[in-house]
Amino acid sequence: MFFGKSLCIATKHKKEQVLAPLFKGLGFNVCVAKNIDTDILGTFTGEVERIYTPQLTLKKKCELALQRTQTDFVLSSEGSFGPHPSIPFLYANEEHLLFYNTIDFTEIYARYIFTETNFNSQEIHSWEALIEFCKQVKFPQHAVILKSTHTKQIQLVKGITSYAQLKEAYQHLKHNSNVVIAETDMRAMHNPTRMHNIKQLAKKLILKIQSTCPQCNLMGFDIVDSISGLPCKNCLNPTPTVLKHIKKCKGCNFMQETLPSHNLSYQDPMYCDFCNP
Ligand SMILES: [Zn+2]
Ligand SMILES: [Zn+2]
């Protein structure tokens, strides 16, 4: 399908390590965007505020790459971190990928919320507390950031990956401020857990790319809506569980119903609002 086509990966944080092999497997000639600074669209550490939605940021990253390299397709990635939207006291990593076709301007988007993340930050008052924090966040395989906000100017040391660097940065920042904040470095090349999540999402994106419309053959034939109401095994009333998905083609609007991956005909009464209110 893509044999001999060119694909540019819009990244400055080494995401090609996991993305390039997967897309080479589809037949693409893969390159990495040269000298693009995706940090101008926002950084995790807040020096540059994120002003666009993830989807618009993905598009802007593709445009940055295309200013320097002209390819048939562009792939961009974006992540965010914070409290899980539905599970209390748990952090989550939401990842987004955009596959952009520069020939017909179509795009395929994928996102997923992962609970696998070391995302964390903590106010540090002693070297021992810092060591304890670092152990929790899988340092030194995962990098950390130290910062102090003693003055209005935030002082930051990013990408710390050794105990020697950690000590030097800690002593330097502590000298200026009583409070030092330790954070996980979420940039992909410094965070193997995040890199793994990006790889998992890329596999989902590839499934979407390979799903083509039965009517017009356009790629990205995908679920646009889900209908709940799987019947309860006991009372046969509809439950909140998904009954079917609707796939729709962005080109010709062809629609098709598909069954959800749970493969159930009935739901356990435990999840029924009538049997178990
Ligand atoms: Zn179609
Ligand atoms: Zn019931």
Side-chain angles (χ1 to χ4, degrees):
M1 196 170 169
F2 300 109
F3 191 76
K5 298 267 190 250
S6 55
L7 171 86
C8 174
I9 303 175
T11 180
K12 72 173 274 203
H13 295 149
K14 303 264 178 256
K15 291 168 187 167
E16 73 274 12
Q17 285 173 8
V18 290
L19 296 173
L22 292 172
F23 284 83
K24 278 180 186 165
L26 292 182
F28 281 110
N29 291 325
V30 178
C31 67
V32 179
K34 284 191 182 66
N35 303 321
I36 63 160
D37 189 6
T38 49
D39 285 351
I40 60 170
L41 297 168
T43 60
F44 294 125
T45 32
E47 304 104 303
V48 185
E49 202 189 331
R50 275 155 205 268
I51 51 168
Y52 303 116
T53 60
Q55 260 178 296
L56 195 52
T57 306
L58 288 168
K59 195 66 185 289
K60 298 254 172 209
K61 285 183 178 177
C62 287
E63 285 165 7
L64 277 178
L66 283 169
Q67 282 169 11
R68 295 177 185 262
T69 322
Q70 199 55 49
T71 49
D72 301 324
F73 294 84
V74 190
L75 180 64
S76 64
S77 150
E78 171 76 0
S80 61
F81 307 88
H84 194 283
S86 52
I87 309 172
F89 311 113
L90 195 70
Y91 283 127
N93 165 206
E94 185 168 15
E95 288 296 333
H96 312 257
L97 282 171
L98 184 72
F99 177 76
Y100 179 62
N101 183 339
T102 72
I103 301 160
D104 66 8
F105 310 113
T106 53
E107 45 191 67
I108 299 175
Y109 168 71
R111 69 177 266 273
Y112 194 77
I113 297 174
F114 295 91
T115 52
E116 295 81 12
T117 180
N118 70 333
F119 177 72
N120 210 337
S121 78
Q122 195 178 303
E123 238 183 60
I124 298 294
H125 298 277
S126 69
W127 172 250
E128 290 72 28
L130 178 57
I131 295 293
E132 192 49 43
F133 173 83
C134 286
K135 274 184 194 159
Q136 275 177 34
V137 299
K138 302 179 185 169
F139 178 83
Q141 291 79 15
H142 293 67
V144 295
I145 293 168
L146 289 185
K147 67 180 182 186
S148 69
T149 51
H150 169 62
T151 53
K152 276 186 183 147
Q153 181 103 36
I154 298 175
Q155 280 197 297
L156 262 181
V157 184
K158 291 199 210 182
I160 301 171
T161 52
S162 75
Y163 282 96
Q165 284 175 295
L166 186 71
K167 189 153 206 167
E168 191 190 329
Y170 179 63
Q171 283 171 345
H172 171 69
L173 294 175
K174 203 169 154 276
H175 185 72
N176 301 325
S177 165
N178 285 331
V179 181
V180 173
I181 297 162
E183 283 179 5
T184 44
D185 195 328
M186 302 316 292
R187 290 173 296 165
M189 78 288 208
H190 284 308
N191 199 303
T193 301
R194 179 167 180 228
M195 198 67 106
H196 181 74
N197 291 347
I198 294 170
K199 184 178 178 182
Q200 297 312 309
L201 182 62
K203 289 179 185 171
K204 289 176 194 288
L205 176 71
I206 286 172
L207 287 179
K208 279 192 179 196
I209 292 169
Q210 289 176 325
S211 167
T212 53
C213 171
Q215 190 164 279
C216 76
N217 223 26
L218 188 74
M219 58 183 189
F221 185 62
D222 193 29
I223 294 166
V224 292
D225 201 7
S226 298
I227 295 166
S228 62
L230 187 69
C232 165
K233 198 172 186 174
N234 183 39
C235 71
L236 299 181
N237 275 307
T239 67
T241 307
V242 173
L243 176 67
K244 59 189 173 188
H245 296 300
I246 310 289
K247 285 182 164 186
K248 188 178 175 185
C249 172
K250 279 193 271 187
C252 71
N253 290 326
F254 176 77
M255 292 210 273
Q256 195 175 53
E257 289 183 359
T258 61
L259 294 175
S261 54
H262 58 55
N263 264 329
L264 299 170
S265 303
Y266 297 97
Q267 182 54 290
D268 191 304
M270 189 174 128
Y271 303 101
C272 171
D273 290 341
F274 297 95
C275 299
N276 188 15

